[in-house]
């Protein structure tokens, strides 16, 4: 899992393995693009780095990592200045599960959602009382998920999360993607911090709408746009080409529709991962799209090599 942040005019990347390492320790790294990174590991079975975020969570003016560890289950914070010899979970705060029926750490974002000047932690909970929950910053010390505030109820094993001022009212909205609802059709909900839902984006056909989410200003008009991944989209070949839907801001709410649809290749699963940023420096955000399953078949074996697409200048196709 990857999160990005601007550091003195440059882009830094936080990357987590999600547990794919020795004994599911889950290393997490952080550093500027093209430079050496800092690197921490969790404990066996923690799956540390399943989700990562970066921001100033304790209000000290320095960057912190938020590290999801669903094997605990917990979310740890770690100052990026922490010595690499300090294991994950011992360098900062922790938000722990309220009990065995609560799973946390599978998805999270870091953002100043309430406008208080300190970044907040938004994360998913899988339980009978599941959904998107928020711990308002500063996030310090040992905390329980019981200390979090429910933003949008949703009972699902995995939720994608994003945030932005999508309706142009000066306040940030929370975006929650539930890709498994309705037999995998998926749906995306946009709500304010009080849980009042602003709008919903949904389709049919097991498209897995909402598997990944991103926000950014794709056309440079000053309004945030919403980007939605649908890796199960059947496309013209009726496989799982995948697709990415872009909803141009400001959003008006209600039953929302896409303004631009980007289709993947045959059985590629495009849209399972998304990232937004100004890659070419033209003032408008560009889009990275992950497609894990494009195939190369030589008649004897099939190789799933995966592709990352960089999409530039998408604003020309938005209203």
């Amino acid at each position: 899992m990857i999160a990005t942040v601007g550091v003195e005019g440059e882009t830094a990347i936080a990357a987590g393995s999600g547990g794919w390492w020795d004994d599911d320790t889950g290393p997490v790294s952080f550093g500027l693009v093209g430079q050496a990174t800092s690197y921490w590991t969790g404990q066996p079975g923690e799956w540390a780095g399943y989700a990562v975020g970066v921001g100033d969570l304790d209000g000290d003016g320095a960057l912190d990592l938020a590290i999801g560890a669903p094997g605990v289950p917990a979310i740890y914070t770690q100052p990026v200045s922490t010595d690499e010899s300090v294991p994950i979970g011992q360098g900062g705060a922790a938000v722990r599960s309220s009990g065995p029926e609560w799973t946390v750490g599978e998805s999270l974002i870091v953002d100043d959602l309430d406008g208080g000047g300190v970044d907040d932690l938004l994360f998913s909970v899988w339980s009978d009382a599941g959904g998107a929950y928020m711990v308002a910053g500063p996030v310090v010390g040992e905390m329980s998920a019981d200390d979090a505030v429910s933003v949008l109820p949703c009972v699902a094993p995995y939720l994608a999360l994003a945030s932005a001022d999508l309706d142009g009212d000066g306040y940030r909205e929370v975006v929650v993607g539930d890709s498994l609802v309705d037999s995998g059709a998926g749906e995306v909900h946009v709500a304010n911090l009080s849980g009042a839902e602003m709008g919903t984006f949904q389709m049919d056909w097991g498209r897995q709408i909402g598997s990944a989410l991103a926000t950014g200003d794709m056309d440079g008009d000053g309004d945030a746009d919403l980007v939605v991944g649908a890796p199960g989209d059947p496309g013209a070949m009726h496989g799982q080409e995948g697709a990415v839907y872009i909803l141009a801001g400001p959003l008006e709410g209600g039953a929302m529709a896409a303004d631009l649809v980007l289709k993947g290749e045959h059985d590629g699963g495009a849209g399972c991962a998304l990232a937004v940023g100004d890659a070419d420096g033209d003032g408008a955000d560009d889009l990275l799209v992950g497609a894990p399953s494009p195939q190369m078949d030589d008649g004897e074996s099939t190789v799933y090599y995966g592709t990352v697409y960089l999409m530039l200048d998408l604003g020309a196709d938005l209203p």
Side-chain angles (χ1 to χ4, degrees), residues 165-235:
D165 177 12
L166 290 166
D167 58 2
D169 66 351
Y171 299 94
R172 301 184 81 77
E173 283 76 44
V174 170
V175 189
V176 177
D178 180 358
S179 60
L180 301 180
V181 72
D182 194 15
S183 301
E187 60 187 20
V188 175
H189 302 272
V190 180
N192 60 30
L193 285 184
S194 67
E197 192 161 325
M198 187 186 90
T200 303
F201 177 58
Q202 55 191 159
M203 297 186 73
D204 56 9
W205 266 84
R207 298 171 194 262
Q208 301 167 25
I209 288 280
S211 293
L213 300 170
T215 58
D217 186 2
M218 311 304 295
D219 51 10
D221 65 353
D223 294 316
D225 308 309
L226 175 60
V227 187
V228 179
D233 192 286

Side-chain angles (χ1 to χ4, degrees), residues 8-107:
E8 297 180 352
E10 298 188 70
T11 298
I13 296 177
S17 74
W20 299 105
W21 199 256
D22 292 343
D23 298 322
D24 298 330
T25 54
V28 175
S29 60
F30 177 84
L32 295 174
V33 173
Q35 298 187 22
T37 63
S38 299
Y39 179 91
W40 302 270
T41 57
Q43 300 299 315
E46 286 190 332
W47 290 76
Y50 199 96
V52 292
V54 60
D56 180 11
L57 282 161
D58 57 8
D60 67 353
L63 290 176
D64 308 294
L65 295 174
I67 301 167
V72 177
I75 299 170
Y76 298 122
T77 70
Q78 190 101 358
V80 299
S81 59
T82 302
D83 187 273
E84 295 179 44
S85 64
V86 178
I88 291 171
Q90 298 181 26
V95 179
R96 300 186 182 275
S97 172
S98 301
E101 71 280 3
W102 281 51
T103 297
V104 300
E106 292 186 333
S107 59

Side-chain angles (χ1 to χ4, degrees), residues 37 61 68 74 76 136 147 168 184 186 245 259 273 275 278 285 312 317:
T37 63
Y76 298 122
D147 298 317
Y245 297 84
D259 297 289
D278 185 3
D285 283 329
L312 302 174
D317 297 313

